[in-house]
Amino acid sequence: MASVKEQMENVVVEEAKVAPASALAADLGDVIASDEWGPEAPPDRREFVRFTHLHRTLHACMIVSFITLALTGMSLKFSYTGWARFMSHMLGGFQTAGFIHRTAAVIMFAAFFTHIVDLFKLKKREYRSWKELILGSNSMLPMKQDLLEFIATLKWFVGIGERPQYGRWTYWEKFDYFAVFWGVFIIGSTGLTLWFPVFFTRFIPGAFINVATIIHSDEALLATGFIFTVHFFNTHLRPEKFPMDTTVFTGHMPLAELKRDKPREYQALVASGRLEQHLADPQPAIVVKTIRVFAWMALFIGFSIVVWIIYAMLFAYR
C-alpha cells in the first residue's frame, strides 16, 4: 500500500498533465520541503542539572566518611556483640578501627568546610547580599511556606488534599541539610574533645570528657539511625523514587520529573527564561551504571548497620 506521501506525489503528477511546468515544480517542491512530510526531529533528551559537580563530590565524600564513621563507631559502641567483634576484626582490630574512624572524621570536616567556602563563593557570584541568599526564594532555611507544604503533604497523604507544589527545596530536604550541620557541630566537637583530651582539658573541666563520651556516642547513634531510615526513605523509598533516586549522584533529573516533583521551581525557571541554561545531555551510561553500583553498596551497608543496631539494642544492650 502506497504511503500518504506517495499518494500526494501521485496527485501532483496527475495535476501536471493539466498544469504549467513552473506551477508543478513549485507545488512539488512545497510538498517535499514541507515540515509535515520531512523527517521527524529527534526527541530532546536533555535533563535538568540540579546539582553541580562540587555538590556531587561533596555528597559522595559525606557518604563514604559517614558510613565509615558509622561502621567503626558502632563496632566500638557495641564491642561486646559478635557482629561488632567480627567487623573490628575485618577492619584490623579495634585500634585500627579507631584510626580509620578519625581519618573518616577528617574527610567529613574537610567536606563540611569546603561547603562553607562554596557558600561564600555562591553569595559573591549569584546574590547581592547574605539576606538575599539566606532568606530568598531558594533559601535552605525553614520558612512559612515549608510549614504550609508540610500540612498540605499530610492532607495529601490521607487523601483530602492535592499534592503540594514543591519548590527548589522541600521541607524534608531542608531538615536533612541542617541535620548535617547539627551533627557535625555536636558529634564533631565532642569527637575532637575525645581525640585531644589533654588540649581541651586546659579550657574545660576534666569531667566534661565523660559527658562528651556520652553525647558523642548517643548523638552518633541517633544520626546513624536517622540517616539510614528517615533519609533513605525520603530519598529512595518513596513510591515515585523507589528503589533509588540517583539525582544527587548524577546531578541530573529528567525534565518530566522536575515538572512533577518541583513544579514551583519549574514554573519559576520557565517564567524567568532561565530553564534552557540548566539543561544538559544525560550522563554517559557507564557513569550511571558505576554510580548505581556505588549507591547500591551504600544502601546495603546502611540498612545492614540499622539491622545490627536493632539487634544489639533488643538482644544484647548493656
Side-chain angles (χ1 to χ4, degrees), residues 72-228:
T72 52
M74 292 303 122
S75 66
L76 292 172
K77 181 176 179 64
F78 299 106
S79 57
Y80 47 84
T81 62
W83 67 260
R85 288 193 293 272
F86 171 78
M87 184 55 61
S88 65
H89 176 73
M90 296 295 292
L91 294 173
F94 285 111
Q95 188 171 2
T96 305
F99 174 77
I100 297 173
H101 190 82
R102 290 186 285 273
T103 302
V106 171
I107 296 174
M108 179 166 285
F109 277 131
F112 180 78
F113 287 112
T114 301
H115 174 61
I116 299 297
V117 172
D118 185 53
L119 285 181
F120 279 87
K121 293 182 177 179
L122 177 67
K123 179 261 175 184
K124 185 177 181 181
R125 187 173 62 245
E126 298 185 15
Y127 295 89
R128 291 169 294 185
S129 65
W130 282 107
K131 181 180 180 181
E132 185 179 350
L133 171 63
I134 295 174
L135 302 177
S137 59
N138 289 332
S139 172
M140 289 298 294
L141 278 182
M143 301 288 185
K144 181 182 178 182
Q145 180 68 27
D146 298 300
L147 176 61
L148 297 176
E149 289 180 355
F150 172 70
I151 296 172
T153 302
L154 295 180
K155 291 181 177 178
W156 175 50
F157 283 165
V158 296
I160 59 174
E162 298 293 329
R163 191 179 195 274
Q165 299 289 301
Y166 299 117
R168 170 72 177 173
W169 305 111
T170 61
Y171 63 86
W172 67 82
E173 289 171 333
K174 294 183 179 183
F175 189 88
D176 288 355
Y177 178 77
F178 279 103
V180 175
F181 273 79
W182 170 261
V184 169
F185 176 71
I186 298 297
I187 304 174
S189 61
T190 53
L192 287 173
T193 304
L194 298 175
W195 191 357
F196 305 103
V198 176
F199 173 77
F200 281 98
T201 49
R202 294 178 182 177
F203 314 101
I204 58 176
F208 187 77
I209 298 298
N210 296 330
V211 177
T213 302
I214 295 172
I215 294 176
H216 186 78
S217 173
D218 289 349
E219 178 65 21
L221 181 65
L222 176 64
T224 303
F226 175 83
I227 292 296
F228 295 149

Side-chain angles (χ1 to χ4, degrees), residues 50-66:
R50 181 163 163 71
F51 297 107
T52 65
H53 181 75
L54 178 63
H55 293 156
R56 305 197 305 268
T57 303
L58 292 180
H59 187 261
C61 289
M62 292 292 285
I63 290 176
V64 172
S65 60
F66 186 82

